Amino acid sequence: MNDPYDQFLNQIPPSSNPPLVSIYHAVRNLPYGSIGQRDPADVLTNRRGSCSGKHLLLRNLLRRTGHEAHIITMFTHFESRLTPHPSFPPELNDLLTQGQVPDFHHYVRARPTPDSPWLNLDATWHDPLTPYSFPVNSSFDG
């Protein structure tokens, strides 16, 4: 029986894109959402994950297919791109106005070939978030 990684890879439709690009988009289009942990096998089972879970999955799939890939963790501030909004819960608006809410974000650095330059791959947001101005990276072609 195939393991979950092979099953996922086998479900990616054939494409003229290089394998790294096809794998990236398959992981990117898993919906964003916390499942309470970051285990890539659970991201596959639940078909959704947080930025860290999706990027651990992306790294593992890229490595499985022979690409060099690493997780990058960066420190940021949660409120750096958000402003208070009437639709947000009061607790969130309070955090946004107080500022300096520490947060960590993850992405993957990978190379298509050993001679290629490094690529920074952020697979956090899936296509249905496009109308809400999320940076979905749907046009990435390698």
Side-chain angles (χ1 to χ4, degrees), residues 1-12 23 44 47 57 60-61 63-65:
M1 182 177 162
N2 288 341
D3 72 17
Y5 292 123
D6 286 339
Q7 289 176 8
F8 186 78
L9 289 168
N10 290 333
Q11 292 173 0
I12 298 173
I23 294 167
L44 284 175
R47 292 292 199 229
L57 174 61
N60 292 357
L61 291 169
R63 286 180 175 178
R64 170 75 56 108
T65 57

Side-chain angles (χ1 to χ4, degrees), residues 5 8 23-35 37-44 47-62 71 105-108 121-129 135-136:
Y5 292 123
F8 186 78
I23 294 167
Y24 166 79
H25 285 296
V27 172
R28 184 184 61 74
N29 268 312
L30 293 173
Y32 175 83
S34 176
I35 58 172
Q37 53 153 325
R38 299 175 177 99
D39 187 309
D42 290 324
V43 171
L44 284 175
R47 292 292 199 229
R48 70 181 173 137
S50 63
C51 70
S52 53
K54 289 176 72 172
H55 289 106
L56 287 166
L57 174 61
L58 178 59
R59 180 206 56 195
N60 292 357
L61 291 169
L62 290 174
I71 295 289
H105 182 66
H106 300 90
Y107 63 95
V108 171
L121 305 174
D122 191 329
T124 303
W125 309 119
H126 56 297
D127 285 342
L129 295 176
V136 299

Side-chain angles (χ1 to χ4, degrees), residues 78-79 83-85 88-101:
F78 176 77
E79 79 288 348
T83 57
H85 190 273
F88 293 163
E91 298 84 4
L92 178 55
N93 280 327
D94 288 345
L95 286 173
L96 295 175
T97 57
Q98 292 170 16
Q100 301 297 306
V101 179

